[in-house]
Amino acid sequence: QDYLAHKTEINNKLASIIIDRVSHVCDQILQLDWTKPNDLGKPNEPIAQFTNNMLQLHHVLKKYLDSEDIDFIYGKIFEHVKIKIPVYYGNIEIQSEVAAKKFKGDLNYLIKASKKHIKLTTSHQNDMEDALVYLIKLKCDPFLAAPVDENGK
């Protein structure tokens, strides 16, 4: 029982390494100029750095921990991202196609990179993806939709 409590405490601390980065990244995201296009469709630096940090930790942990521990740690991380990222990104004013493309590019980068490199047996990853995809549709689709002609086509 002591071992399990200690193991849970360690796993919580490992999750907190990335969870603590979420608020920092979100603060940086709010400071960005959303009117300037990104270079070659790359994500904004804060989200790229956060995603890479998350993937690097996963790469290290999967060498030493079993899948149950990875699921626990990344389940907590994805649950936090699912809640925090939409709150902060939801405060970004999307007023142009450029801003919508940057916004969508950031969130798609996070979704695709985590999906490609992290495989969980829990639903947390899918729940995070669903929340981010919904946010993209809500905030970006009005600016990225194909124009409708006068005949409704």
Side-chain angles (χ1 to χ4, degrees), residues 17-19 21-22 47-61 74 77-78 81 109-111 113-115 117-118 125 128:
I17 291 170
I18 299 300
I19 288 170
R21 301 284 309 143
V22 173
I47 201 72
Q49 190 174 34
F50 168 76
T51 303
N52 291 335
N53 289 341
M54 183 176 66
L55 296 178
Q56 286 173 345
L57 181 63
H58 180 264
H59 182 73
V60 171
L61 294 180
Y74 277 83
I77 291 168
F78 288 144
V81 167
Y109 179 78
L110 175 59
I111 291 167
S114 66
K115 198 179 216 177
H117 298 286
I118 302 172
Q125 193 168 12
M128 177 196 74

Side-chain angles (χ1 to χ4, degrees), residues 55-71:
L55 296 178
Q56 286 173 345
L57 181 63
H58 180 264
H59 182 73
V60 171
L61 294 180
K62 73 179 183 179
K63 291 179 184 177
Y64 302 103
L65 300 177
D66 60 30
S67 63
E68 184 179 295
D69 290 328
I70 298 290
D71 283 356

